[in-house]
Amino acid sequence: MTLTIGAFSTSNYKTAQSHKAQYASTFLTFTVMPLPYLESLELIRLEAQYDAARFRSKVETVSIYKAVNRISHMTLRCQKSTPSFDTSAMDGYALSSAATRFASGDIPAVFHICGAIAAGEEPLSIGPDADSDIPPCVEIMTGAPFPQSTPSMQFDCCVRLEDVTLVSVSGCPCIKVERPATFQQNRRLAGGDFSQGDVLVSADETIQPSHIMALASVGIYEASVRLKPVICVFSTGKELDKDCPPSLHRIPDANGPYITASLQEQGFEVDFLGILGDSKEEMTHGIRKAVMMNRYDILITTGAVSTGKFDFVPSALHALQARQVFHRIAIRPGHPALFAKVPSPKAGVVDSDARVDTDEVPFFGLPGNPVASAACLQFLVVPYLKFLQGQPLEPVLEARVMESEHREWPTAYNMASEPLFKVPKDLDVFRPGMIHRRTQDCLEVTPMEHSPSKIKPFLGADCWLHIPAGIAEVHTGDTVNIVASH
């Protein structure tokens, strides 16, 4: 199975784009049925596509030392073939391979050492020695340029240090070679790596350490990259104690640190702005203040998005005249998740640190349960950020489900008839899991204990299982989709 974005009618979305004020007035009007996950993903894609038109035009030039995980603004190509000259692949002696044609232990080939050359030095030019009939050689270090050859004196290979014996002939330093060398042996030819015009990094490609090696090897030390999305994160709820250890009846905040760390690990710039209290006024003030900074490309809160007495995020957004994109999704965990666009100051009325020039800031309200919040981060927020930057979604892999108690793959005859676990058939379900590679071509995954509020099972997880709507039972041996987690 492969996750695909299903077909979705965008007529309501387009109408909303041209009538934002009217759309915002209906923020608290919820549909009876939660939005299917694929439809919510399509709405996220459309909103990100709209936002990307301006966001992706913002670029900056950075040193390659700061370029990892940044997105290249343009295609970078090799300007000349590399290496630009022949070099030695070994520490040894540059000499003529033809002169070793008949070399053996009984009749070794002898060469007169006429100099030495290290990496970074100019190539030697060795003239003929009229007083000696012993052919010349040059001690050469790894990466050093080969000596210049002439029609009568060829330096076409390198014999390793450990394959020669130092001797003295008539008081002159020489080497003995006791077996034939081959033409171009241990010699890196000019242009043997990159050719002129080769693509080093493509436009819109995320720069990885391997790209840095390639860029540096051809002398490119700066890259034009797109600006990082800057993200604001809030936690909500008076039950979250900012002190450690927590006071009685309060709990530490796990969501804020996790979301901040996860997004930073993916290369984004993240500010955690603290905990918003349980009141409409405090949440409205906190969100408004973040928006008015005109710094953030996306706002995220965790908790207070459902319909409980203290779930004030929806009403705060309504007070800010936000435009709801969706609220409640047919997923588990994370069904109360909310996506809206909050009006922001117009471009030009900003301070020197401004990063946003759009009239709306995307807002994700995630659930308060830690694993539910993590699932929504992975399957809602990260896709928006990928779409915004023109990047592909996280790759979806296939894996066979196995029981956590038994690592051995069961045969067709002893597979349990009872399901490993059941899921609501009308929901897309996300479960943390642990990947096991049985063979090169087959992945296996162990589902972790399911509880959106328990963190201990999540500690050992390295992926998410995605069970799409329409499936009610998962048996040992079933094939499921998995996505690597951060």
Side-chain angles (χ1 to χ4, degrees), residues 19 44 48-49 137 141 287 304 425 446:
H19 300 89
I44 288 171
Q49 188 177 48
C137 69
M141 312 306 166
I287 296 170
K425 191 173 182 179
T446 298

Side-chain angles (χ1 to χ4, degrees), residues 372-437:
S373 180
C376 290
L377 178 70
Q378 178 79 56
F379 291 97
L380 300 177
V381 178
V382 170
Y384 172 85
L385 292 166
K386 295 287 188 182
F387 292 139
L388 180 70
Q389 300 174 98
Q391 299 294 291
L393 294 179
E394 296 288 338
V396 178
L397 306 174
E398 290 187 344
R400 291 173 180 167
V401 178
M402 68 179 188
E403 298 181 58
S404 58
E405 297 84 0
H406 305 289
R407 294 293 299 273
E408 294 299 324
W409 182 251
T411 66
Y413 299 101
N414 61 17
M415 284 186 179
S417 58
E418 291 296 316
L420 189 59
F421 59 90
K422 296 182 179 181
V423 294
K425 191 173 182 179
D426 57 339
L427 304 179
D428 280 65
V429 174
F430 308 111
R431 290 278 299 269
M434 180 182 295
I435 298 172
H436 307 281
R437 184 177 293 277

Side-chain angles (χ1 to χ4, degrees), residues 113-144:
I113 303 173
C114 295
I117 183 170
E121 295 182 347
E122 294 297 316
L124 293 177
S125 178
I126 307 298
D129 186 352
D131 297 328
S132 175
D133 58 354
I134 301 177
C137 69
V138 172
E139 187 175 7
I140 190 169
M141 312 306 166
T142 302

Side-chain angles (χ1 to χ4, degrees), residues 58 227 292-295 348-356:
K58 294 176 174 290
L227 290 188
M292 292 300 292
M293 291 172 68
N294 218 4
R295 165 175 167 78
V349 190
V350 295
D351 58 31
S352 59
D353 293 328
R355 298 294 300 274
V356 181

Side-chain angles (χ1 to χ4, degrees), residues 195-470:
S195 299
Q196 183 176 5
D198 281 353
V199 173
L200 305 175
V201 182
S202 298
D204 295 327
E205 186 173 8
T206 300
I207 298 174
Q208 302 296 333
S210 57
H211 295 128
I212 302 299
M213 179 188 289
L215 292 170
S217 75
V218 301
I220 297 177
Y221 293 99
E222 291 184 333
S224 177
V225 297
R226 304 194 187 281
L227 290 188
K228 293 182 185 179
V230 183
I231 303 168
C232 165
V233 178
F234 286 107
S235 297
T236 69
K238 64 182 180 181
E239 76 278 9
L240 302 179
D241 194 331
K242 291 177 285 187
D243 300 323
C244 186
S247 60
L248 186 63
H249 305 306
R250 296 192 177 214
I251 59 174
D253 176 25
N255 289 337
Y258 170 77
I259 290 174
T260 300
S262 178
L263 292 173
Q264 286 176 339
E265 190 261 343
Q266 295 176 66
F268 303 110
E269 186 172 347
V270 188
D271 294 341
F272 178 66
L273 297 189
I275 299 169
L276 300 177
D278 289 326
S279 73
K280 173 184 173 182
E281 292 72 25
E282 186 170 346
M283 291 186 184
T284 301
H285 174 74
I287 296 170
R288 178 187 286 116
K289 183 178 179 180
V291 170
M292 292 300 292
M293 291 172 68
N294 218 4
R295 165 175 167 78
Y296 299 111
D297 301 298
I298 178 174
L299 307 178
I300 300 173
T301 63
T302 64
V305 291
S306 192
T307 56
K309 184 176 181 180
F310 294 99
D311 291 330
F312 290 111
V313 167
S315 57
L317 293 173
H318 185 256
L320 292 168
Q321 296 185 316
R323 175 172 63 87
Q324 177 179 296
V325 180
F326 59 73
H327 187 190
R328 294 184 174 179
I329 314 173
I331 61 175
R332 179 177 291 180
H335 73 278
L338 179 154
F339 180 37
K341 305 295 276 293
V342 184
S344 71
K346 295 294 184 179
V349 190
V350 295
D351 58 31
S352 59
D353 293 328
R355 298 294 300 274
V356 181
D357 65 352
T358 181
D359 60 350
E360 288 185 319
V361 180
F363 179 98
F364 282 91
L366 309 185
N369 283 326
V371 177
S373 180
C376 290
L377 178 70
Q378 178 79 56
F379 291 97
L380 300 177
V381 178
V382 170
Y384 172 85
L385 292 166
K386 295 287 188 182
F387 292 139
L388 180 70
Q389 300 174 98
Q391 299 294 291
L393 294 179
E394 296 288 338
V396 178
L397 306 174
E398 290 187 344
R400 291 173 180 167
V401 178
M402 68 179 188
E403 298 181 58
S404 58
E405 297 84 0
H406 305 289
R407 294 293 299 273
E408 294 299 324
W409 182 251
T411 66
Y413 299 101
N414 61 17
M415 284 186 179
S417 58
E418 291 296 316
L420 189 59
F421 59 90
K422 296 182 179 181
V423 294
K425 191 173 182 179
D426 57 339
L427 304 179
D428 280 65
V429 174
F430 308 111
R431 290 278 299 269
M434 180 182 295
I435 298 172
H436 307 281
R437 184 177 293 277
R438 182 171 176 81
T439 68
Q440 185 175 2
D441 300 322
C442 177
L443 293 177
E444 293 179 348
V445 62
T446 298
M448 311 302 284
E449 178 186 348
H450 175 65
S451 174
S453 62
K454 286 187 178 181
I455 297 174
K456 184 176 179 179
F458 188 69
L459 185 61
D462 57 10
C463 70
W464 289 95
L465 287 71
H466 179 190
I467 297 94

